[in-house]
mmCIF file of all heavy atoms in Angstrom:
data_model
loop_
_atom_site.group_PDB
_atom_site.id
_atom_site.type_symbol
_atom_site.label_atom_id
_atom_site.label_comp_id
_atom_site.label_asym_id
_atom_site.label_seq_id
_atom_site.Cartn_x
_atom_site.Cartn_y
_atom_site.Cartn_z
ATOM 1 N N GLU A 178 0.833 -1.206 0.000
ATOM 2 C CA GLU A 178 0.000 -0.001 0.000
ATOM 3 C C GLU A 178 0.866 1.256 -0.001
ATOM 4 O O GLU A 178 0.569 2.235 -0.680
ATOM 5 C CB GLU A 178 -0.900 0.027 1.233
ATOM 6 C CG GLU A 178 -1.884 -1.115 1.328
ATOM 7 C CD GLU A 178 -2.422 -1.240 2.739
ATOM 8 O OE1 GLU A 178 -3.309 -0.446 3.076
ATOM 9 O OE2 GLU A 178 -1.934 -2.119 3.477
ATOM 10 N N LEU A 179 1.920 1.208 0.766
ATOM 11 C CA LEU A 179 2.845 2.327 0.879
ATOM 12 C C LEU A 179 3.533 2.597 -0.456
ATOM 13 O O LEU A 179 3.601 3.752 -0.907
ATOM 14 C CB LEU A 179 3.868 2.024 1.968
ATOM 15 C CG LEU A 179 4.848 3.084 2.385
ATOM 16 C CD1 LEU A 179 4.167 4.376 2.760
ATOM 17 C CD2 LEU A 179 5.671 2.573 3.553
ATOM 18 N N MET A 180 4.014 1.550 -1.114
ATOM 19 C CA MET A 180 4.663 1.707 -2.408
ATOM 20 C C MET A 180 3.680 2.243 -3.455
ATOM 21 O O MET A 180 4.023 3.107 -4.253
ATOM 22 C CB MET A 180 5.257 0.379 -2.885
ATOM 23 C CG MET A 180 6.463 -0.072 -2.079
ATOM 24 S SD MET A 180 7.855 1.071 -2.154
ATOM 25 C CE MET A 180 8.263 1.001 -3.878
ATOM 26 N N ALA A 181 2.449 1.751 -3.417
ATOM 27 C CA ALA A 181 1.434 2.226 -4.361
ATOM 28 C C ALA A 181 1.143 3.705 -4.137
ATOM 29 O O ALA A 181 1.002 4.474 -5.097
ATOM 30 C CB ALA A 181 0.159 1.402 -4.220
ATOM 31 N N ALA A 182 1.075 4.125 -2.882
ATOM 32 C CA ALA A 182 0.814 5.536 -2.576
ATOM 33 C C ALA A 182 1.959 6.414 -3.070
ATOM 34 O O ALA A 182 1.732 7.477 -3.665
ATOM 35 C CB ALA A 182 0.623 5.719 -1.065
ATOM 36 N N ILE A 183 3.191 5.974 -2.876
ATOM 37 C CA ILE A 183 4.346 6.736 -3.346
ATOM 38 C C ILE A 183 4.365 6.800 -4.867
ATOM 39 O O ILE A 183 4.590 7.856 -5.453
ATOM 40 C CB ILE A 183 5.654 6.160 -2.771
ATOM 41 C CG1 ILE A 183 5.722 6.442 -1.259
ATOM 42 C CG2 ILE A 183 6.876 6.742 -3.483
ATOM 43 C CD1 ILE A 183 6.849 5.760 -0.534
ATOM 44 N N ASP A 184 4.088 5.666 -5.508
ATOM 45 C CA ASP A 184 4.040 5.635 -6.970
ATOM 46 C C ASP A 184 2.956 6.560 -7.524
ATOM 47 O O ASP A 184 3.086 7.082 -8.634
ATOM 48 C CB ASP A 184 3.811 4.215 -7.476
ATOM 49 C CG ASP A 184 5.036 3.328 -7.287
ATOM 50 O OD1 ASP A 184 6.151 3.860 -7.056
ATOM 51 O OD2 ASP A 184 4.874 2.085 -7.339
ATOM 52 N N ALA A 185 1.886 6.770 -6.737
ATOM 53 C CA ALA A 185 0.777 7.626 -7.171
ATOM 54 C C ALA A 185 1.006 9.094 -6.808
ATOM 55 O O ALA A 185 0.119 9.918 -6.980
ATOM 56 C CB ALA A 185 -0.534 7.131 -6.573
ATOM 57 N N GLY A 186 2.190 9.406 -6.265
ATOM 58 C CA GLY A 186 2.517 10.803 -5.993
ATOM 59 C C GLY A 186 2.277 11.273 -4.576
ATOM 60 O O GLY A 186 2.120 12.482 -4.340
ATOM 61 N N ALA A 187 2.245 10.369 -3.612
ATOM 62 C CA ALA A 187 2.053 10.758 -2.220
ATOM 63 C C ALA A 187 3.137 11.726 -1.767
ATOM 64 O O ALA A 187 4.269 11.702 -2.263
ATOM 65 C CB ALA A 187 2.057 9.524 -1.320
ATOM 66 N N SER A 188 2.800 12.551 -0.821
ATOM 67 C CA SER A 188 3.764 13.458 -0.201
ATOM 68 C C SER A 188 4.644 12.647 0.753
ATOM 69 O O SER A 188 4.131 11.884 1.570
ATOM 70 C CB SER A 188 3.003 14.541 0.570
ATOM 71 O OG SER A 188 3.861 15.237 1.429
ATOM 72 N N VAL A 189 5.961 12.800 0.626
ATOM 73 C CA VAL A 189 6.908 12.056 1.460
ATOM 74 C C VAL A 189 7.791 13.055 2.186
ATOM 75 O O VAL A 189 8.404 13.918 1.562
ATOM 76 C CB VAL A 189 7.793 11.124 0.595
ATOM 77 C CG1 VAL A 189 8.797 10.377 1.461
ATOM 78 C CG2 VAL A 189 6.938 10.151 -0.204
ATOM 79 N N ARG A 190 7.812 12.931 3.524
ATOM 80 C CA ARG A 190 8.632 13.848 4.308
ATOM 81 C C ARG A 190 9.353 13.069 5.398
ATOM 82 O O ARG A 190 8.744 12.275 6.114
ATOM 83 C CB ARG A 190 7.764 14.927 4.954
ATOM 84 C CG ARG A 190 8.559 15.938 5.770
ATOM 85 C CD ARG A 190 7.670 17.037 6.338
ATOM 86 N NE ARG A 190 6.699 16.572 7.300
ATOM 87 C CZ ARG A 190 6.940 16.396 8.596
ATOM 88 N NH1 ARG A 190 8.148 16.606 9.084
ATOM 89 N NH2 ARG A 190 5.985 15.986 9.409
ATOM 90 N N LYS A 191 10.652 13.310 5.501
ATOM 91 C CA LYS A 191 11.454 12.681 6.547
ATOM 92 C C LYS A 191 11.615 13.672 7.689
ATOM 93 O O LYS A 191 11.930 14.844 7.464
ATOM 94 C CB LYS A 191 12.828 12.288 6.007
ATOM 95 C CG LYS A 191 13.707 11.590 7.011
ATOM 96 C CD LYS A 191 15.032 11.199 6.392
ATOM 97 C CE LYS A 191 15.906 10.486 7.397
ATOM 98 N NZ LYS A 191 17.206 10.154 6.824
ATOM 99 N N ASP A 192 11.378 13.204 8.905
ATOM 100 C CA ASP A 192 11.591 14.039 10.080
ATOM 101 C C ASP A 192 13.072 14.392 10.131
ATOM 102 O O ASP A 192 13.922 13.514 10.000
ATOM 103 C CB ASP A 192 11.183 13.286 11.348
ATOM 104 C CG ASP A 192 11.042 14.180 12.560
ATOM 105 O OD1 ASP A 192 11.868 15.108 12.713
ATOM 106 O OD2 ASP A 192 10.123 13.953 13.358
ATOM 107 N N GLU A 193 13.381 15.651 10.267
ATOM 108 C CA GLU A 193 14.778 16.086 10.247
ATOM 109 C C GLU A 193 15.543 15.686 11.497
ATOM 110 O O GLU A 193 16.768 15.641 11.497
ATOM 111 C CB GLU A 193 14.845 17.600 10.054
ATOM 112 C CG GLU A 193 14.337 18.016 8.689
ATOM 113 C CD GLU A 193 14.404 19.521 8.476
ATOM 114 O OE1 GLU A 193 14.974 20.238 9.326
ATOM 115 O OE2 GLU A 193 13.876 19.971 7.459
ATOM 116 N N ARG A 194 14.815 15.408 12.555
ATOM 117 C CA ARG A 194 15.483 14.999 13.800
ATOM 118 C C ARG A 194 15.921 13.548 13.687
ATOM 119 O O ARG A 194 15.281 12.740 13.042
ATOM 120 C CB ARG A 194 14.538 15.138 14.990
ATOM 121 C CG ARG A 194 14.036 16.534 15.202
ATOM 122 C CD ARG A 194 12.944 16.566 16.214
ATOM 123 N NE ARG A 194 11.769 15.875 15.665
ATOM 124 C CZ ARG A 194 10.688 15.590 16.361
ATOM 125 N NH1 ARG A 194 10.606 15.914 17.623
ATOM 126 N NH2 ARG A 194 9.670 14.976 15.794
ATOM 127 N N GLN A 195 17.021 13.245 14.326
ATOM 128 C CA GLN A 195 17.441 11.859 14.442
ATOM 129 C C GLN A 195 17.151 11.470 15.887
ATOM 130 O O GLN A 195 17.758 11.999 16.807
ATOM 131 C CB GLN A 195 18.911 11.684 14.101
ATOM 132 C CG GLN A 195 19.274 10.254 13.875
ATOM 133 C CD GLN A 195 20.604 10.104 13.180
ATOM 134 O OE1 GLN A 195 21.438 10.989 13.215
ATOM 135 N NE2 GLN A 195 20.824 8.967 12.559
ATOM 136 N N LEU A 196 16.182 10.607 16.069
ATOM 137 C CA LEU A 196 15.685 10.261 17.392
ATOM 138 C C LEU A 196 16.252 8.932 17.858
ATOM 139 O O LEU A 196 16.443 8.019 17.061
ATOM 140 C CB LEU A 196 14.156 10.188 17.353
ATOM 141 C CG LEU A 196 13.456 11.446 16.847
ATOM 142 C CD1 LEU A 196 12.000 11.159 16.548
ATOM 143 C CD2 LEU A 196 13.590 12.567 17.858
ATOM 144 N N MET A 197 16.483 8.844 19.134
ATOM 145 C CA MET A 197 16.932 7.589 19.727
ATOM 146 C C MET A 197 15.719 6.796 20.184
ATOM 147 O O MET A 197 14.723 7.365 20.637
ATOM 148 C CB MET A 197 17.875 7.850 20.912
ATOM 149 C CG MET A 197 19.171 8.560 20.531
ATOM 150 S SD MET A 197 20.148 7.684 19.296
ATOM 151 C CE MET A 197 20.722 6.293 20.236
ATOM 152 N N VAL A 198 15.802 5.483 20.069
ATOM 153 C CA VAL A 198 14.697 4.611 20.440
ATOM 154 C C VAL A 198 14.234 4.895 21.866
ATOM 155 O O VAL A 198 13.039 4.934 22.140
ATOM 156 C CB VAL A 198 15.092 3.127 20.269
ATOM 157 C CG1 VAL A 198 14.105 2.214 20.951
ATOM 158 C CG2 VAL A 198 15.199 2.784 18.801
ATOM 159 N N GLY A 199 15.168 5.141 22.767
ATOM 160 C CA GLY A 199 14.811 5.388 24.163
ATOM 161 C C GLY A 199 13.874 6.563 24.360
ATOM 162 O O GLY A 199 13.113 6.601 25.318
ATOM 163 N N ARG A 200 13.888 7.516 23.433
ATOM 164 C CA ARG A 200 12.998 8.674 23.536
ATOM 165 C C ARG A 200 11.613 8.388 22.967
ATOM 166 O O ARG A 200 10.677 9.123 23.219
ATOM 167 C CB ARG A 200 13.603 9.861 22.805
ATOM 168 C CG ARG A 200 14.910 10.283 23.471
ATOM 169 C CD ARG A 200 15.240 11.669 23.216
ATOM 170 N NE ARG A 200 14.123 12.550 23.587
ATOM 171 C CZ ARG A 200 14.160 13.852 23.450
ATOM 172 N NH1 ARG A 200 15.226 14.414 22.971
ATOM 173 N NH2 ARG A 200 13.132 14.584 23.783
ATOM 174 N N LEU A 201 11.481 7.336 22.166
ATOM 175 C CA LEU A 201 10.216 7.026 21.507
ATOM 176 C C LEU A 201 9.430 5.901 22.160
ATOM 177 O O LEU A 201 8.210 5.898 22.114
ATOM 178 C CB LEU A 201 10.469 6.610 20.048
ATOM 179 C CG LEU A 201 10.988 7.654 19.091
ATOM 180 C CD1 LEU A 201 11.253 7.015 17.741
ATOM 181 C CD2 LEU A 201 9.993 8.780 18.950
ATOM 182 N N ILE A 202 10.124 4.952 22.723
ATOM 183 C CA ILE A 202 9.468 3.712 23.124
ATOM 184 C C ILE A 202 8.344 3.932 24.138
ATOM 185 O O ILE A 202 7.287 3.329 24.037
ATOM 186 C CB ILE A 202 10.483 2.655 23.595
ATOM 187 C CG1 ILE A 202 9.804 1.300 23.656
ATOM 188 C CG2 ILE A 202 11.125 3.050 24.904
ATOM 189 C CD1 ILE A 202 10.746 0.138 23.699
ATOM 190 N N GLY A 203 8.544 4.811 25.099
ATOM 191 C CA GLY A 203 7.506 5.058 26.104
ATOM 192 C C GLY A 203 6.217 5.573 25.485
ATOM 193 O O GLY A 203 5.114 5.136 25.835
ATOM 194 N N THR A 204 6.342 6.483 24.539
ATOM 195 C CA THR A 204 5.170 7.031 23.856
ATOM 196 C C THR A 204 4.404 5.935 23.137
ATOM 197 O O THR A 204 3.174 5.847 23.237
ATOM 198 C CB THR A 204 5.598 8.111 22.842
ATOM 199 O OG1 THR A 204 6.247 9.159 23.556
ATOM 200 C CG2 THR A 204 4.421 8.648 22.061
ATOM 201 N N TYR A 205 5.118 5.088 22.417
ATOM 202 C CA TYR A 205 4.440 4.045 21.653
ATOM 203 C C TYR A 205 3.920 2.917 22.548
ATOM 204 O O TYR A 205 2.932 2.268 22.208
ATOM 205 C CB TYR A 205 5.330 3.538 20.522
ATOM 206 C CG TYR A 205 5.375 4.551 19.405
ATOM 207 C CD1 TYR A 205 6.513 5.316 19.173
ATOM 208 C CD2 TYR A 205 4.259 4.798 18.618
ATOM 209 C CE1 TYR A 205 6.538 6.276 18.169
ATOM 210 C CE2 TYR A 205 4.276 5.749 17.622
ATOM 211 C CZ TYR A 205 5.416 6.492 17.399
ATOM 212 O OH TYR A 205 5.433 7.447 16.417
ATOM 213 N N GLU A 206 4.543 2.681 23.688
ATOM 214 C CA GLU A 206 3.990 1.705 24.635
ATOM 215 C C GLU A 206 2.649 2.195 25.183
ATOM 216 O O GLU A 206 1.705 1.414 25.311
ATOM 217 C CB GLU A 206 4.985 1.456 25.777
ATOM 218 C CG GLU A 206 6.154 0.606 25.373
ATOM 219 C CD GLU A 206 7.205 0.464 26.451
ATOM 220 O OE1 GLU A 206 7.338 1.367 27.316
ATOM 221 O OE2 GLU A 206 7.914 -0.545 26.429
ATOM 222 N N ILE A 207 2.566 3.483 25.478
ATOM 223 C CA ILE A 207 1.297 4.057 25.954
ATOM 224 C C ILE A 207 0.238 3.981 24.855
ATOM 225 O O ILE A 207 -0.901 3.578 25.105
ATOM 226 C CB ILE A 207 1.495 5.515 26.419
ATOM 227 C CG1 ILE A 207 2.340 5.540 27.689
ATOM 228 C CG2 ILE A 207 0.150 6.219 26.633
ATOM 229 C CD1 ILE A 207 2.838 6.910 28.081
ATOM 230 N N ARG A 208 0.603 4.350 23.632
ATOM 231 C CA ARG A 208 -0.348 4.277 22.519
ATOM 232 C C ARG A 208 -0.819 2.842 22.292
ATOM 233 O O ARG A 208 -1.989 2.603 21.992
ATOM 234 C CB ARG A 208 0.281 4.831 21.238
ATOM 235 C CG ARG A 208 0.455 6.345 21.286
ATOM 236 C CD ARG A 208 0.998 6.896 20.003
ATOM 237 N NE ARG A 208 0.044 6.703 18.918
ATOM 238 C CZ ARG A 208 0.311 6.964 17.640
ATOM 239 N NH1 ARG A 208 1.499 7.415 17.291
ATOM 240 N NH2 ARG A 208 -0.598 6.767 16.719
ATOM 241 N N LEU A 209 0.083 1.874 22.467
ATOM 242 C CA LEU A 209 -0.286 0.469 22.310
ATOM 243 C C LEU A 209 -1.288 0.052 23.379
ATOM 244 O O LEU A 209 -2.297 -0.585 23.077
ATOM 245 C CB LEU A 209 0.961 -0.421 22.358
ATOM 246 C CG LEU A 209 0.709 -1.931 22.357
ATOM 247 C CD1 LEU A 209 -0.056 -2.355 21.102
ATOM 248 C CD2 LEU A 209 2.025 -2.686 22.481
ATOM 249 N N ARG A 210 -1.035 0.403 24.631
ATOM 250 C CA ARG A 210 -1.962 0.046 25.710
ATOM 251 C C ARG A 210 -3.345 0.648 25.466
ATOM 252 O O ARG A 210 -4.362 -0.012 25.667
ATOM 253 C CB ARG A 210 -1.406 0.483 27.067
ATOM 254 C CG ARG A 210 -0.317 -0.438 27.590
ATOM 255 C CD ARG A 210 -0.025 -0.224 29.063
ATOM 256 N NE ARG A 210 0.473 1.107 29.373
ATOM 257 C CZ ARG A 210 1.753 1.464 29.373
ATOM 258 N NH1 ARG A 210 2.675 0.580 29.077
ATOM 259 N NH2 ARG A 210 2.113 2.692 29.692
ATOM 260 N N LEU A 211 -3.387 1.899 25.015
ATOM 261 C CA LEU A 211 -4.669 2.534 24.721
ATOM 262 C C LEU A 211 -5.384 1.830 23.559
ATOM 263 O O LEU A 211 -6.591 1.589 23.606
ATOM 264 C CB LEU A 211 -4.473 4.016 24.385
ATOM 265 C CG LEU A 211 -4.064 4.905 25.547
ATOM 266 C CD1 LEU A 211 -3.686 6.299 25.051
ATOM 267 C CD2 LEU A 211 -5.183 4.995 26.576
ATOM 268 N N ALA A 212 -4.644 1.508 22.517
ATOM 269 C CA ALA A 212 -5.230 0.825 21.364
ATOM 270 C C ALA A 212 -5.768 -0.549 21.745
ATOM 271 O O ALA A 212 -6.851 -0.957 21.297
ATOM 272 C CB ALA A 212 -4.203 0.708 20.241
ATOM 273 N N GLN A 213 -5.032 -1.262 22.601
ATOM 274 C CA GLN A 213 -5.486 -2.578 23.046
ATOM 275 C C GLN A 213 -6.746 -2.457 23.890
ATOM 276 O O GLN A 213 -7.689 -3.231 23.730
ATOM 277 C CB GLN A 213 -4.382 -3.276 23.833
ATOM 278 C CG GLN A 213 -3.233 -3.732 22.972
ATOM 279 C CD GLN A 213 -2.034 -4.205 23.778
ATOM 280 O OE1 GLN A 213 -1.797 -3.755 24.896
ATOM 281 N NE2 GLN A 213 -1.262 -5.116 23.194
ATOM 282 N N ALA A 214 -6.788 -1.483 24.791
ATOM 283 C CA ALA A 214 -7.943 -1.291 25.654
ATOM 284 C C ALA A 214 -9.185 -0.901 24.865
ATOM 285 O O ALA A 214 -10.303 -1.277 25.221
ATOM 286 C CB ALA A 214 -7.643 -0.227 26.713
ATOM 287 N N GLN A 215 -8.994 -0.159 23.779
ATOM 288 C CA GLN A 215 -10.116 0.314 22.978
ATOM 289 C C GLN A 215 -10.413 -0.586 21.792
ATOM 290 O O GLN A 215 -11.327 -0.317 21.015
ATOM 291 C CB GLN A 215 -9.836 1.737 22.486
ATOM 292 C CG GLN A 215 -9.716 2.727 23.622
ATOM 293 C CD GLN A 215 -9.219 4.087 23.163
ATOM 294 O OE1 GLN A 215 -8.906 4.292 21.990
ATOM 295 N NE2 GLN A 215 -9.133 5.022 24.090
ATOM 296 N N GLY A 216 -9.629 -1.644 21.623
ATOM 297 C CA GLY A 216 -9.845 -2.575 20.520
ATOM 298 C C GLY A 216 -9.627 -1.970 19.147
ATOM 299 O O GLY A 216 -10.268 -2.355 18.188
ATOM 300 N N GLN A 217 -8.705 -1.036 19.055
ATOM 301 C CA GLN A 217 -8.440 -0.364 17.782
ATOM 302 C C GLN A 217 -7.676 -1.286 16.834
ATOM 303 O O GLN A 217 -6.824 -2.056 17.255
ATOM 304 C CB GLN A 217 -7.633 0.917 18.008
ATOM 305 C CG GLN A 217 -8.374 1.969 18.769
ATOM 306 C CD GLN A 217 -7.503 3.192 19.024
ATOM 307 O OE1 GLN A 217 -6.324 3.214 18.724
ATOM 308 N NE2 GLN A 217 -8.112 4.209 19.609
ATOM 309 N N PRO A 218 -7.972 -1.179 15.538
ATOM 310 C CA PRO A 218 -7.264 -2.025 14.565
ATOM 311 C C PRO A 218 -5.761 -1.763 14.517
ATOM 312 O O PRO A 218 -4.998 -2.639 14.142
ATOM 313 C CB PRO A 218 -7.904 -1.672 13.221
ATOM 314 C CG PRO A 218 -9.013 -0.729 13.492
ATOM 315 C CD PRO A 218 -8.982 -0.349 14.934
ATOM 316 N N ALA A 219 -5.325 -0.573 14.904
ATOM 317 C CA ALA A 219 -3.904 -0.225 14.838
ATOM 318 C C ALA A 219 -3.071 -0.957 15.882
ATOM 319 O O ALA A 219 -1.847 -0.867 15.863
ATOM 320 C CB ALA A 219 -3.734 1.285 15.018
#
């Protein structure tokens, strides 16, 4: 799906920051717990 979107002219932007996993993991663990509790497809 991602390749098809890019081939069709999707906007592509790279975050200019270089982030360390340690700064991201807590945020995504919280988002995962919320998604699991709410039964979200994500």
Side-chain angles (χ1 to χ4, degrees):
E178 298 163 79
L179 186 53
M180 290 298 296
I183 290 171
D184 289 344
S188 166
V189 179
R190 181 177 65 85
K191 182 178 181 182
D192 194 321
E193 294 180 8
R194 300 170 293 172
Q195 195 164 22
L196 304 167
M197 297 302 290
V198 166
R200 296 204 54 180
L201 293 176
I202 194 163
T204 299
Y205 285 108
E206 285 174 333
I207 291 168
R208 289 183 65 187
L209 174 59
R210 283 195 298 271
L211 290 171
Q213 289 170 331
Q215 297 171 357
Q217 294 177 354

